[in-house]
Amino acid sequence: MKHCLVVDDSAVIRKVARRILESMDFLIAEAQDGREALDCCTAHMPDAILLDWNMPQMDGYEFLKALRVMHDGKKPKVVFCTTENDLAAIARAMHAGADEYIMKPFDKEILASKFQQVGLA
Protein backbone atom coordinates (compact mmCIF):
# COMPACT_ATOMS: atom_id res chain seq x y z
CA MET A 1 0.00 0.00 0.00
CA LYS A 2 1.31 3.44 -0.92
CA HIS A 3 1.80 6.14 1.69
CA CYS A 4 0.63 9.74 1.15
CA LEU A 5 1.37 12.76 3.31
CA VAL A 6 -1.37 15.40 3.23
CA VAL A 7 0.05 18.82 4.14
CA ASP A 8 -2.47 21.60 4.70
CA ASP A 9 -3.20 24.06 7.51
CA SER A 10 -6.94 23.43 7.05
CA ALA A 11 -8.24 20.48 9.07
CA VAL A 12 -11.25 20.31 6.72
CA ILE A 13 -9.07 19.96 3.62
CA ARG A 14 -6.94 17.31 5.34
CA LYS A 15 -10.09 15.38 6.30
CA VAL A 16 -11.57 15.54 2.78
CA ALA A 17 -8.24 14.54 1.19
CA ARG A 18 -7.82 11.70 3.69
CA ARG A 19 -11.24 10.24 2.85
CA ILE A 20 -10.62 10.44 -0.89
CA LEU A 21 -7.09 9.02 -0.73
CA GLU A 22 -8.04 6.22 1.66
CA SER A 23 -10.73 5.21 -0.84
CA MET A 24 -7.88 5.00 -3.38
CA ASP A 25 -6.01 2.59 -1.04
CA PHE A 26 -3.41 5.03 0.31
CA LEU A 27 -2.17 5.05 3.89
CA ILE A 28 -2.40 8.66 5.09
CA ALA A 29 -0.29 10.82 7.35
CA GLU A 30 -1.11 14.48 7.97
CA ALA A 31 0.86 17.64 8.68
CA GLN A 32 -0.50 21.14 9.24
CA ASP A 33 2.52 23.04 7.90
CA GLY A 34 5.82 22.58 6.11
CA ARG A 35 7.92 22.12 9.24
CA GLU A 36 5.70 19.36 10.55
CA ALA A 37 5.76 17.81 7.07
CA LEU A 38 9.58 17.78 7.05
CA ASP A 39 9.52 15.95 10.40
CA CYS A 40 7.12 13.39 8.91
CA CYS A 41 9.37 12.90 5.89
CA THR A 42 12.41 12.43 8.11
CA ALA A 43 10.58 9.72 10.05
CA HIS A 44 9.09 8.02 6.97
CA MET A 45 9.47 9.26 3.39
CA PRO A 46 6.06 8.95 1.68
CA ASP A 47 5.36 7.86 -1.88
CA ALA A 48 3.17 10.91 -2.47
CA ILE A 49 2.61 14.34 -0.96
CA LEU A 50 -0.52 16.45 -1.42
CA LEU A 51 0.81 19.90 -0.60
CA ASP A 52 -0.89 23.20 0.17
CA TRP A 53 0.90 26.40 -0.86
CA ASN A 54 -0.09 28.97 1.77
CA MET A 55 0.58 27.79 5.34
CA PRO A 56 2.02 29.31 8.52
CA GLN A 57 5.50 28.39 9.81
CA MET A 58 6.74 27.10 6.44
CA ASP A 59 4.80 27.37 3.19
CA GLY A 60 4.53 24.67 0.57
CA TYR A 61 7.15 26.19 -1.71
CA GLU A 62 9.78 26.36 1.06
CA PHE A 63 8.87 22.82 2.15
CA LEU A 64 9.26 21.53 -1.41
CA LYS A 65 12.72 23.08 -1.78
CA ALA A 66 13.80 21.55 1.56
CA LEU A 67 12.26 18.17 0.69
CA ARG A 68 14.04 17.83 -2.62
CA VAL A 69 17.49 18.14 -0.98
CA MET A 70 16.74 15.54 1.73
CA HIS A 71 17.97 11.95 1.51
CA ASP A 72 15.34 10.22 -0.69
CA GLY A 73 13.63 13.62 -1.06
CA LYS A 74 13.33 13.21 -4.81
CA LYS A 75 11.30 9.99 -4.34
CA PRO A 76 7.83 11.34 -3.45
CA LYS A 77 5.51 12.55 -6.17
CA VAL A 78 4.37 16.00 -5.06
CA VAL A 79 1.00 17.39 -6.11
CA PHE A 80 0.45 21.03 -5.11
CA CYS A 81 -3.12 21.66 -4.00
CA THR A 82 -3.77 25.37 -3.89
CA THR A 83 -6.00 28.36 -4.52
CA GLU A 84 -2.94 30.02 -6.09
CA ASN A 85 -3.76 30.59 -9.76
CA ASP A 86 -0.85 32.83 -10.72
CA LEU A 87 0.92 31.06 -13.61
CA ALA A 88 4.32 32.38 -12.55
CA ALA A 89 3.86 30.91 -9.06
CA ILE A 90 2.75 27.57 -10.49
CA ALA A 91 5.75 27.54 -12.84
CA ARG A 92 8.04 28.32 -9.90
CA ALA A 93 6.57 25.37 -7.95
CA MET A 94 7.02 23.03 -10.91
CA HIS A 95 10.62 24.23 -11.33
CA ALA A 96 11.25 23.57 -7.62
CA GLY A 97 10.19 19.95 -8.04
CA ALA A 98 6.40 19.68 -7.95
CA ASP A 99 5.13 16.92 -10.21
CA GLU A 100 1.64 18.32 -10.74
CA TYR A 101 -0.87 20.73 -9.22
CA ILE A 102 -4.61 20.95 -8.62
CA MET A 103 -6.80 23.86 -7.71
CA LYS A 104 -9.03 23.97 -4.63
CA PRO A 105 -11.75 22.94 -4.34
CA PHE A 106 -11.11 19.43 -5.63
CA ASP A 107 -13.01 16.15 -5.71
CA LYS A 108 -12.16 12.47 -6.03
CA GLU A 109 -12.21 12.56 -9.83
CA ILE A 110 -9.73 15.44 -10.02
CA LEU A 111 -7.43 13.96 -7.38
CA ALA A 112 -7.50 10.49 -8.94
CA SER A 113 -6.75 11.95 -12.36
CA LYS A 114 -3.73 13.92 -11.14
CA PHE A 115 -2.39 10.97 -9.14
CA GLN A 116 -2.75 8.80 -12.22
CA GLN A 117 -0.89 11.38 -14.32
CA VAL A 118 2.11 11.19 -11.98
CA GLY A 119 2.00 7.38 -11.85
CA LEU A 120 0.45 6.88 -8.41
CA ALA A 121 -2.98 5.45 -9.23
Side-chain angles (χ1 to χ4, degrees):
M1 191 173 272
K2 291 186 177 175
H3 178 250
C4 182
L5 176 60
V6 177
V7 186
D8 200 298
D9 57 328
S10 167
V12 171
I13 296 293
R14 291 194 312 269
K15 183 176 183 177
V16 168
R18 172 183 283 277
R19 285 189 177 161
I20 292 170
L21 291 165
E22 285 177 341
S23 77
M24 296 167 54
D25 293 325
F26 280 90
L27 290 173
I28 306 301
E30 297 181 18
Q32 57 188 349
D33 62 49
R35 289 188 186 184
E36 190 176 318
L38 284 177
D39 291 342
C40 290
C41 290
T42 299
H44 181 263
M45 191 63 72
D47 299 296
I49 300 172
L50 184 62
L51 181 61
D52 185 25
W53 187 291
N54 297 308
M55 297 177 289
Q57 304 299 319
M58 177 185 281
D59 69 18
Y61 180 72
E62 290 300 317
F63 163 79
L64 182 58
K65 290 192 309 183
L67 170 73
R68 292 306 194 203
V69 298
M70 290 176 69
H71 176 70
D72 284 341
K74 293 192 182 342
K75 172 188 158 194
K77 297 293 185 180
V78 176
V79 177
F80 256 108
C81 177
T82 184
T83 57
E84 186 68 54
N85 63 2
D86 175 27
L87 290 178
I90 292 167
R92 193 175 75 197
M94 300 300 278
H95 181 74
D99 296 285
E100 196 51 79
Y101 72 94
I102 59 176
M103 301 299 293
K104 291 179 184 175
F106 58 88
D107 60 18
K108 183 177 181 177
E109 184 178 314
I110 292 168
L111 201 51
S113 172
K114 291 296 182 174
F115 271 53
Q116 185 174 18
Q117 285 177 18
V118 299
L120 289 167

